[in-house]
Short mmCIF file of all heavy atoms in Angstrom, two decimals:
data_model
loop_
_atom_site.label_atom_id
_atom_site.label_comp_id
_atom_site.label_asym_id
_atom_site.label_seq_id
_atom_site.Cartn_x
_atom_site.Cartn_y
_atom_site.Cartn_z
N MET D 1 0.88 -1.19 0.01
CA MET D 1 0.02 0.04 0.03
C MET D 1 0.93 1.24 0.01
O MET D 1 1.26 1.72 1.09
CB MET D 1 -0.95 -0.03 1.20
CG MET D 1 -1.80 -1.33 1.20
SD MET D 1 -2.91 -1.43 2.61
CE MET D 1 -4.30 -0.52 1.95
N PRO D 2 1.28 1.67 -1.17
CA PRO D 2 2.31 2.78 -1.31
C PRO D 2 1.91 4.11 -0.60
O PRO D 2 2.85 4.80 -0.20
CB PRO D 2 2.41 3.00 -2.79
CG PRO D 2 1.49 1.98 -3.47
CD PRO D 2 0.76 1.19 -2.44
N LEU D 3 0.66 4.33 -0.44
CA LEU D 3 0.19 5.61 0.18
C LEU D 3 -0.06 5.38 1.66
O LEU D 3 -0.59 6.26 2.36
CB LEU D 3 -1.00 6.15 -0.50
CG LEU D 3 -0.84 6.52 -1.97
CD1 LEU D 3 -2.13 7.01 -2.61
CD2 LEU D 3 0.27 7.54 -2.15
N GLY D 4 0.26 4.16 2.22
CA GLY D 4 0.04 3.88 3.61
C GLY D 4 -1.39 3.26 3.77
O GLY D 4 -2.19 3.27 2.91
N LYS D 5 -1.54 2.54 4.91
CA LYS D 5 -2.78 1.85 5.10
C LYS D 5 -3.66 2.73 6.09
O LYS D 5 -3.23 2.88 7.23
CB LYS D 5 -2.49 0.49 5.81
CG LYS D 5 -3.79 -0.42 5.87
CD LYS D 5 -3.55 -1.62 6.70
CE LYS D 5 -3.72 -1.38 8.16
NZ LYS D 5 -4.92 -0.66 8.57
N PRO D 6 -4.74 3.18 5.67
CA PRO D 6 -5.63 3.93 6.58
C PRO D 6 -6.12 3.04 7.68
O PRO D 6 -6.31 1.85 7.48
CB PRO D 6 -6.81 4.44 5.66
CG PRO D 6 -6.30 4.24 4.31
CD PRO D 6 -5.31 3.20 4.29
N ALA D 7 -6.41 3.66 8.83
CA ALA D 7 -6.98 2.85 9.94
C ALA D 7 -8.28 2.25 9.53
O ALA D 7 -9.10 2.89 8.88
CB ALA D 7 -7.15 3.80 11.15
N GLY D 8 -8.49 1.03 9.93
CA GLY D 8 -9.70 0.31 9.63
C GLY D 8 -9.84 -0.29 8.28
O GLY D 8 -10.83 -0.92 7.94
N VAL D 9 -8.86 -0.13 7.46
CA VAL D 9 -8.77 -0.68 6.08
C VAL D 9 -7.95 -1.93 6.13
O VAL D 9 -6.80 -1.95 6.69
CB VAL D 9 -8.24 0.35 5.10
CG1 VAL D 9 -8.08 -0.32 3.70
CG2 VAL D 9 -9.11 1.54 5.01
N ARG D 10 -8.49 -3.02 5.50
CA ARG D 10 -7.74 -4.25 5.51
C ARG D 10 -6.46 -4.12 4.70
O ARG D 10 -6.50 -3.60 3.53
CB ARG D 10 -8.62 -5.35 4.93
CG ARG D 10 -8.04 -6.80 5.00
CD ARG D 10 -9.15 -7.74 4.51
NE ARG D 10 -8.57 -9.11 4.43
CZ ARG D 10 -8.54 -9.98 5.46
NH1 ARG D 10 -9.08 -9.57 6.65
NH2 ARG D 10 -8.06 -11.12 5.32
N CYS D 11 -5.37 -4.64 5.18
CA CYS D 11 -4.07 -4.54 4.44
C CYS D 11 -4.16 -5.39 3.19
O CYS D 11 -4.67 -6.49 3.22
CB CYS D 11 -2.94 -4.93 5.28
SG CYS D 11 -1.31 -4.93 4.51
N SER D 12 -3.59 -4.82 2.07
CA SER D 12 -3.66 -5.57 0.83
C SER D 12 -2.75 -6.82 0.92
O SER D 12 -2.93 -7.68 0.06
CB SER D 12 -3.22 -4.67 -0.28
OG SER D 12 -1.90 -4.19 -0.13
N GLN D 13 -1.89 -6.94 1.83
CA GLN D 13 -0.99 -8.07 1.98
C GLN D 13 -1.62 -9.13 2.91
O GLN D 13 -1.01 -10.19 3.06
CB GLN D 13 0.41 -7.60 2.47
CG GLN D 13 1.08 -6.64 1.66
CD GLN D 13 1.40 -7.16 0.29
OE1 GLN D 13 1.35 -8.38 0.05
NE2 GLN D 13 1.75 -6.26 -0.63
N LEU D 14 -2.72 -8.91 3.54
CA LEU D 14 -3.37 -9.82 4.41
C LEU D 14 -4.13 -10.85 3.62
O LEU D 14 -4.95 -10.63 2.72
CB LEU D 14 -4.33 -9.12 5.28
CG LEU D 14 -4.75 -9.79 6.57
CD1 LEU D 14 -3.59 -10.20 7.47
CD2 LEU D 14 -5.64 -8.88 7.42
N THR D 15 -3.77 -12.14 3.86
CA THR D 15 -4.40 -13.29 3.06
C THR D 15 -5.77 -13.61 3.63
O THR D 15 -6.12 -13.12 4.69
CB THR D 15 -3.50 -14.52 3.13
OG1 THR D 15 -3.55 -15.06 4.43
CG2 THR D 15 -2.02 -14.28 2.67
N ALA D 16 -6.43 -14.46 2.92
CA ALA D 16 -7.80 -14.89 3.36
C ALA D 16 -7.69 -15.63 4.69
O ALA D 16 -8.66 -15.70 5.44
CB ALA D 16 -8.41 -15.83 2.26
N GLU D 17 -6.53 -16.15 4.98
CA GLU D 17 -6.28 -16.85 6.26
C GLU D 17 -5.80 -15.97 7.28
O GLU D 17 -5.36 -16.40 8.42
CB GLU D 17 -5.29 -18.04 6.13
CG GLU D 17 -5.81 -19.15 5.21
CD GLU D 17 -5.76 -18.73 3.68
OE1 GLU D 17 -4.84 -18.05 3.28
OE2 GLU D 17 -6.57 -19.26 2.88
N ASN D 18 -5.82 -14.64 7.05
CA ASN D 18 -5.30 -13.59 8.08
C ASN D 18 -3.92 -13.78 8.31
O ASN D 18 -3.43 -13.56 9.50
CB ASN D 18 -6.20 -13.58 9.26
CG ASN D 18 -7.56 -12.95 9.02
OD1 ASN D 18 -7.75 -12.17 8.11
ND2 ASN D 18 -8.50 -13.46 9.80
N THR D 19 -3.04 -14.18 7.39
CA THR D 19 -1.58 -14.22 7.54
C THR D 19 -1.02 -13.18 6.54
O THR D 19 -1.70 -12.74 5.60
CB THR D 19 -1.00 -15.60 7.25
OG1 THR D 19 -1.35 -15.95 5.83
CG2 THR D 19 -1.65 -16.71 8.11
N CYS D 20 0.18 -12.78 6.93
CA CYS D 20 0.88 -11.79 6.04
C CYS D 20 1.58 -12.44 4.81
O CYS D 20 2.44 -13.29 4.91
CB CYS D 20 1.90 -11.04 6.92
SG CYS D 20 2.80 -9.83 5.98
N ALA D 21 1.17 -11.96 3.67
CA ALA D 21 1.75 -12.51 2.40
C ALA D 21 3.17 -12.16 2.17
O ALA D 21 3.82 -12.80 1.38
CB ALA D 21 0.88 -12.04 1.20
N ILE D 22 3.67 -11.16 2.89
CA ILE D 22 5.06 -10.74 2.68
C ILE D 22 5.88 -10.91 3.99
O ILE D 22 6.94 -10.28 4.11
CB ILE D 22 5.15 -9.30 2.24
CG1 ILE D 22 4.44 -8.31 3.13
CG2 ILE D 22 4.55 -9.27 0.72
CD1 ILE D 22 4.63 -6.84 2.70
N PHE D 23 5.42 -11.77 4.86
CA PHE D 23 6.04 -12.03 6.15
C PHE D 23 7.56 -12.52 5.84
O PHE D 23 7.76 -13.41 4.97
CB PHE D 23 5.38 -13.07 6.97
CG PHE D 23 5.97 -13.23 8.42
CD1 PHE D 23 5.57 -12.47 9.40
CD2 PHE D 23 6.98 -14.14 8.60
CE1 PHE D 23 6.17 -12.61 10.69
CE2 PHE D 23 7.54 -14.32 9.86
CZ PHE D 23 7.09 -13.52 10.92
N GLY D 24 8.61 -11.87 6.46
CA GLY D 24 9.90 -12.29 6.24
C GLY D 24 10.60 -11.73 5.05
O GLY D 24 11.75 -11.93 4.78
N GLN D 25 9.87 -10.93 4.31
CA GLN D 25 10.38 -10.35 3.10
C GLN D 25 10.78 -8.89 3.35
O GLN D 25 10.22 -8.24 4.14
CB GLN D 25 9.41 -10.40 1.95
CG GLN D 25 9.09 -11.87 1.51
CD GLN D 25 8.04 -11.96 0.44
OE1 GLN D 25 8.00 -11.10 -0.42
NE2 GLN D 25 7.32 -13.05 0.43
N PRO D 26 11.78 -8.38 2.66
CA PRO D 26 12.31 -7.03 2.93
C PRO D 26 11.25 -5.89 2.72
O PRO D 26 11.40 -4.88 3.32
CB PRO D 26 13.56 -6.84 2.00
CG PRO D 26 13.50 -8.01 1.02
CD PRO D 26 12.57 -9.07 1.54
N GLU D 27 10.30 -6.10 1.83
CA GLU D 27 9.29 -5.07 1.58
C GLU D 27 8.27 -4.95 2.71
O GLU D 27 7.44 -4.11 2.61
CB GLU D 27 8.61 -5.30 0.22
CG GLU D 27 7.94 -6.58 -0.03
CD GLU D 27 8.84 -7.64 -0.65
OE1 GLU D 27 10.03 -7.74 -0.34
OE2 GLU D 27 8.28 -8.46 -1.44
N ARG D 28 8.31 -5.88 3.61
CA ARG D 28 7.34 -5.83 4.75
C ARG D 28 7.68 -4.52 5.53
O ARG D 28 8.83 -4.19 5.90
CB ARG D 28 7.48 -7.01 5.67
CG ARG D 28 6.31 -7.10 6.70
CD ARG D 28 6.40 -8.39 7.41
NE ARG D 28 5.36 -8.56 8.39
CZ ARG D 28 5.68 -8.96 9.70
NH1 ARG D 28 6.90 -9.20 10.11
NH2 ARG D 28 4.68 -8.99 10.54
N PRO D 29 6.60 -3.67 5.80
CA PRO D 29 6.87 -2.42 6.49
C PRO D 29 7.57 -2.63 7.84
O PRO D 29 7.27 -3.51 8.58
CB PRO D 29 5.47 -1.80 6.68
CG PRO D 29 4.64 -2.43 5.55
CD PRO D 29 5.23 -3.81 5.43
N GLN D 30 8.38 -1.56 8.18
CA GLN D 30 9.14 -1.63 9.43
C GLN D 30 8.22 -1.67 10.69
O GLN D 30 8.49 -2.30 11.65
CB GLN D 30 10.16 -0.54 9.56
CG GLN D 30 11.47 -0.82 8.77
CD GLN D 30 12.20 -2.08 9.26
OE1 GLN D 30 12.56 -2.15 10.41
NE2 GLN D 30 12.31 -2.99 8.38
N VAL D 31 7.11 -0.97 10.51
CA VAL D 31 6.14 -0.88 11.62
C VAL D 31 5.59 -2.38 11.92
O VAL D 31 5.40 -2.66 13.07
CB VAL D 31 5.04 0.14 11.37
CG1 VAL D 31 4.14 -0.35 10.19
CG2 VAL D 31 4.20 0.34 12.59
N CYS D 32 5.51 -3.14 10.95
CA CYS D 32 5.01 -4.47 11.03
C CYS D 32 6.12 -5.34 11.66
O CYS D 32 5.90 -6.20 12.51
CB CYS D 32 4.53 -5.12 9.79
SG CYS D 32 3.20 -4.13 8.91
N VAL D 33 7.35 -5.10 11.16
CA VAL D 33 8.45 -5.96 11.64
C VAL D 33 8.67 -5.69 13.12
O VAL D 33 8.99 -6.65 13.90
CB VAL D 33 9.77 -5.60 10.89
CG1 VAL D 33 10.99 -6.24 11.48
CG2 VAL D 33 9.55 -6.02 9.42
N ARG D 34 8.52 -4.39 13.55
CA ARG D 34 8.85 -4.07 14.94
C ARG D 34 7.76 -4.36 15.90
O ARG D 34 7.95 -4.38 17.16
CB ARG D 34 9.16 -2.53 14.98
CG ARG D 34 10.47 -2.19 14.33
CD ARG D 34 10.82 -0.77 14.58
NE ARG D 34 12.01 -0.44 13.82
CZ ARG D 34 12.24 0.67 13.09
NH1 ARG D 34 11.28 1.57 13.03
NH2 ARG D 34 13.32 0.88 12.45
N LEU D 35 6.56 -4.57 15.36
CA LEU D 35 5.39 -4.77 16.32
C LEU D 35 5.54 -6.08 16.97
O LEU D 35 5.74 -7.19 16.35
CB LEU D 35 4.06 -4.79 15.57
CG LEU D 35 2.82 -5.02 16.35
CD1 LEU D 35 2.51 -3.87 17.24
CD2 LEU D 35 1.64 -5.36 15.43
N MET D 36 5.56 -6.07 18.34
CA MET D 36 5.65 -7.23 19.12
C MET D 36 4.22 -7.65 19.64
O MET D 36 3.70 -6.95 20.47
CB MET D 36 6.56 -7.03 20.31
CG MET D 36 8.03 -6.81 19.92
SD MET D 36 8.81 -8.34 19.29
CE MET D 36 9.04 -7.89 17.58
N PRO D 37 3.67 -8.73 19.16
CA PRO D 37 2.33 -9.15 19.61
C PRO D 37 2.40 -9.48 21.10
O PRO D 37 3.31 -9.90 21.68
CB PRO D 37 2.00 -10.36 18.77
CG PRO D 37 3.27 -10.83 18.21
CD PRO D 37 4.27 -9.69 18.19
N SER D 38 1.27 -9.30 21.74
CA SER D 38 1.16 -9.56 23.12
C SER D 38 -0.25 -10.23 23.42
O SER D 38 -1.09 -10.11 22.59
CB SER D 38 1.30 -8.28 23.95
OG SER D 38 0.13 -7.41 23.71
N GLN D 39 -0.32 -10.83 24.55
CA GLN D 39 -1.55 -11.44 24.99
C GLN D 39 -2.70 -10.40 25.03
O GLN D 39 -3.79 -10.65 24.70
CB GLN D 39 -1.44 -12.16 26.33
CG GLN D 39 -2.66 -12.92 26.83
CD GLN D 39 -3.11 -14.09 25.90
OE1 GLN D 39 -2.27 -14.79 25.41
NE2 GLN D 39 -4.38 -14.22 25.74
N GLU D 40 -2.27 -9.24 25.57
CA GLU D 40 -3.28 -8.11 25.79
C GLU D 40 -3.83 -7.72 24.38
O GLU D 40 -5.06 -7.46 24.21
CB GLU D 40 -2.62 -6.89 26.39
CG GLU D 40 -3.53 -5.70 26.57
CD GLU D 40 -2.82 -4.53 27.11
OE1 GLU D 40 -1.57 -4.48 27.05
OE2 GLU D 40 -3.51 -3.65 27.56
N MET D 41 -2.98 -7.66 23.31
CA MET D 41 -3.43 -7.32 22.04
C MET D 41 -4.15 -8.43 21.27
O MET D 41 -5.14 -8.16 20.61
CB MET D 41 -2.17 -6.81 21.20
CG MET D 41 -2.50 -6.44 19.76
SD MET D 41 -1.15 -5.67 18.97
CE MET D 41 0.17 -6.78 19.24
N CYS D 42 -3.64 -9.65 21.35
CA CYS D 42 -4.21 -10.76 20.61
C CYS D 42 -5.34 -11.49 21.24
O CYS D 42 -6.17 -12.04 20.43
CB CYS D 42 -3.11 -11.71 20.25
SG CYS D 42 -1.70 -10.92 19.34
N GLY D 43 -5.37 -11.52 22.53
CA GLY D 43 -6.44 -12.24 23.22
C GLY D 43 -6.38 -13.71 22.87
O GLY D 43 -5.18 -14.27 22.62
N ALA D 44 -7.51 -14.39 22.86
CA ALA D 44 -7.49 -15.87 22.69
C ALA D 44 -8.03 -16.17 21.30
O ALA D 44 -8.10 -17.40 20.96
CB ALA D 44 -8.38 -16.49 23.74
N SER D 45 -8.43 -15.21 20.47
CA SER D 45 -8.94 -15.56 19.10
C SER D 45 -8.88 -14.34 18.23
O SER D 45 -8.60 -13.18 18.78
CB SER D 45 -10.41 -15.99 19.22
OG SER D 45 -11.15 -14.82 19.66
N SER D 46 -8.96 -14.53 17.00
CA SER D 46 -8.94 -13.41 16.02
C SER D 46 -10.04 -12.44 16.30
O SER D 46 -9.87 -11.21 16.24
CB SER D 46 -8.88 -13.89 14.59
OG SER D 46 -9.96 -14.59 14.26
N ALA D 47 -11.23 -12.96 16.63
CA ALA D 47 -12.39 -12.13 16.89
C ALA D 47 -12.06 -11.21 18.07
O ALA D 47 -12.40 -9.97 18.09
CB ALA D 47 -13.61 -12.88 17.16
N GLU D 48 -11.46 -11.75 19.15
CA GLU D 48 -11.04 -10.94 20.30
C GLU D 48 -10.05 -9.90 19.92
O GLU D 48 -10.09 -8.77 20.48
CB GLU D 48 -10.57 -11.83 21.41
CG GLU D 48 -10.39 -11.12 22.73
CD GLU D 48 -9.97 -12.14 23.86
OE1 GLU D 48 -10.11 -13.33 23.72
OE2 GLU D 48 -9.48 -11.56 24.87
N ALA D 49 -9.07 -10.32 19.18
CA ALA D 49 -8.03 -9.37 18.68
C ALA D 49 -8.63 -8.26 17.83
O ALA D 49 -8.31 -7.09 18.07
CB ALA D 49 -6.98 -10.09 17.81
N PHE D 50 -9.57 -8.51 17.05
CA PHE D 50 -10.20 -7.43 16.19
C PHE D 50 -10.99 -6.56 17.12
O PHE D 50 -11.01 -5.28 16.94
CB PHE D 50 -11.13 -8.05 15.13
CG PHE D 50 -10.35 -8.57 13.92
CD1 PHE D 50 -10.48 -9.83 13.54
CD2 PHE D 50 -9.62 -7.72 13.15
CE1 PHE D 50 -9.73 -10.37 12.49
CE2 PHE D 50 -8.89 -8.21 11.99
CZ PHE D 50 -8.89 -9.52 11.69
N ARG D 51 -11.70 -7.06 18.10
CA ARG D 51 -12.40 -6.15 19.04
C ARG D 51 -11.50 -5.24 19.79
O ARG D 51 -11.76 -4.02 19.91
CB ARG D 51 -13.20 -7.07 20.05
CG ARG D 51 -14.61 -7.53 19.54
CD ARG D 51 -15.43 -8.11 20.66
NE ARG D 51 -14.83 -9.12 21.35
CZ ARG D 51 -14.89 -10.43 20.99
NH1 ARG D 51 -15.50 -10.78 19.97
NH2 ARG D 51 -14.20 -11.32 21.81
N THR D 52 -10.41 -5.85 20.29
CA THR D 52 -9.39 -5.03 21.04
C THR D 52 -8.75 -3.90 20.18
O THR D 52 -8.72 -2.76 20.56
CB THR D 52 -8.30 -5.93 21.58
OG1 THR D 52 -8.81 -6.87 22.46
CG2 THR D 52 -7.27 -5.10 22.38
N LEU D 53 -8.40 -4.33 18.93
CA LEU D 53 -7.81 -3.28 18.09
C LEU D 53 -8.86 -2.17 17.69
O LEU D 53 -8.40 -0.99 17.64
CB LEU D 53 -7.31 -3.98 16.77
CG LEU D 53 -6.12 -4.86 17.00
CD1 LEU D 53 -5.75 -5.61 15.70
CD2 LEU D 53 -4.84 -4.03 17.47
N MET D 54 -10.06 -2.50 17.48
CA MET D 54 -11.09 -1.51 17.22
C MET D 54 -11.24 -0.53 18.41
O MET D 54 -11.42 0.61 18.24
CB MET D 54 -12.43 -2.14 16.76
CG MET D 54 -12.35 -2.77 15.37
SD MET D 54 -11.77 -1.67 14.13
CE MET D 54 -13.06 -0.37 14.11
N LEU D 55 -11.26 -1.16 19.58
CA LEU D 55 -11.40 -0.36 20.79
C LEU D 55 -10.15 0.62 20.90
O LEU D 55 -10.31 1.86 21.20
CB LEU D 55 -11.45 -1.18 22.09
CG LEU D 55 -12.74 -1.91 22.39
CD1 LEU D 55 -12.56 -2.88 23.51
CD2 LEU D 55 -13.81 -0.84 22.74
N TRP D 56 -8.99 0.12 20.70
CA TRP D 56 -7.81 1.00 20.76
C TRP D 56 -7.82 2.01 19.64
O TRP D 56 -7.43 3.23 19.85
CB TRP D 56 -6.52 0.14 20.61
CG TRP D 56 -6.24 -0.75 21.77
CD1 TRP D 56 -6.98 -0.76 22.97
CD2 TRP D 56 -5.23 -1.66 21.99
NE1 TRP D 56 -6.44 -1.75 23.84
CE2 TRP D 56 -5.34 -2.28 23.26
CE3 TRP D 56 -4.14 -2.16 21.13
CZ2 TRP D 56 -4.48 -3.25 23.70
CZ3 TRP D 56 -3.30 -3.05 21.58
CH2 TRP D 56 -3.43 -3.65 22.85
N GLU D 57 -8.29 1.65 18.46
CA GLU D 57 -8.39 2.62 17.31
C GLU D 57 -9.34 3.73 17.68
O GLU D 57 -8.99 4.91 17.51
CB GLU D 57 -8.87 1.86 16.04
CG GLU D 57 -9.02 2.78 14.87
CD GLU D 57 -7.69 3.43 14.49
OE1 GLU D 57 -6.64 2.85 14.60
OE2 GLU D 57 -7.69 4.61 14.04
N THR D 58 -10.49 3.39 18.26
CA THR D 58 -11.47 4.43 18.68
C THR D 58 -10.87 5.35 19.76
O THR D 58 -11.02 6.50 19.67
CB THR D 58 -12.75 3.74 19.18
OG1 THR D 58 -13.23 2.93 18.12
CG2 THR D 58 -13.78 4.77 19.59
N ALA D 59 -10.22 4.74 20.75
CA ALA D 59 -9.64 5.45 21.89
C ALA D 59 -8.51 6.38 21.49
O ALA D 59 -8.28 7.37 22.15
CB ALA D 59 -9.18 4.49 22.99
N THR D 60 -7.83 6.12 20.38
CA THR D 60 -6.71 6.97 20.02
C THR D 60 -6.92 7.78 18.75
O THR D 60 -6.02 8.43 18.26
CB THR D 60 -5.43 6.01 19.80
OG1 THR D 60 -5.69 5.17 18.74
CG2 THR D 60 -5.01 5.30 21.03
N ALA D 61 -8.14 7.69 18.22
CA ALA D 61 -8.46 8.48 17.05
C ALA D 61 -8.34 9.99 17.32
O ALA D 61 -8.77 10.39 18.41
CB ALA D 61 -9.83 8.18 16.50
N PRO D 62 -7.82 10.75 16.41
CA PRO D 62 -7.72 12.19 16.61
C PRO D 62 -9.05 12.88 16.71
O PRO D 62 -10.02 12.42 16.25
CB PRO D 62 -6.95 12.71 15.39
CG PRO D 62 -6.97 11.62 14.36
CD PRO D 62 -7.36 10.30 15.10
S1 SF4 I 1 2.01 -7.57 8.88
FE1 SF4 I 1 1.95 -5.61 7.95
S2 SF4 I 1 2.20 -5.94 5.73
FE2 SF4 I 1 1.67 -7.92 6.65
S3 SF4 I 1 -0.54 -8.09 6.45
FE3 SF4 I 1 -0.15 -7.15 8.42
S4 SF4 I 1 -0.25 -4.94 8.14
FE4 SF4 I 1 -0.08 -5.94 6.12
#
């Protein structure tokens, strides 16, 4: 996504299985490389992770 990924927009590199299509490749953005997943962020399921991320997105929106 050359112009950046807007908040709430699915990344063009995200596969149907919710994995990163460019994981481990040099073109993967540094923000993704540096992000350290945590239990607080990921929860116990992808549904829980999406809920948490949406809460954080809302709480930090300008
Ligand atoms: S890790 Fe980064 S590049 Fe890969 S799918 Fe997620 S947001 Fe996109």
Side-chain angles (χ1 to χ4, degrees):
M1 303 181 85
L3 301 177
K5 189 191 85 50
V9 173
R10 187 175 175 87
C11 179
S12 62
Q13 301 296 343
L14 197 57
T15 70
E17 295 77 32
N18 289 329
T19 61
C20 178
I22 57 172
F23 188 87
Q25 298 179 29
E27 59 266 38
R28 190 171 179 232
Q30 281 299 303
V31 66
C32 303
V33 172
R34 291 187 183 136
L35 179 71
M36 291 293 114
S38 66
Q39 181 68 37
E40 181 185 16
M41 178 170 48
C42 299
S45 66
S46 59
E48 189 175 343
F50 282 118
R51 277 194 303 273
T52 300
L53 291 173
M54 288 308 297
L55 284 173
W56 291 356
E57 180 59 35
T58 301
T60 59

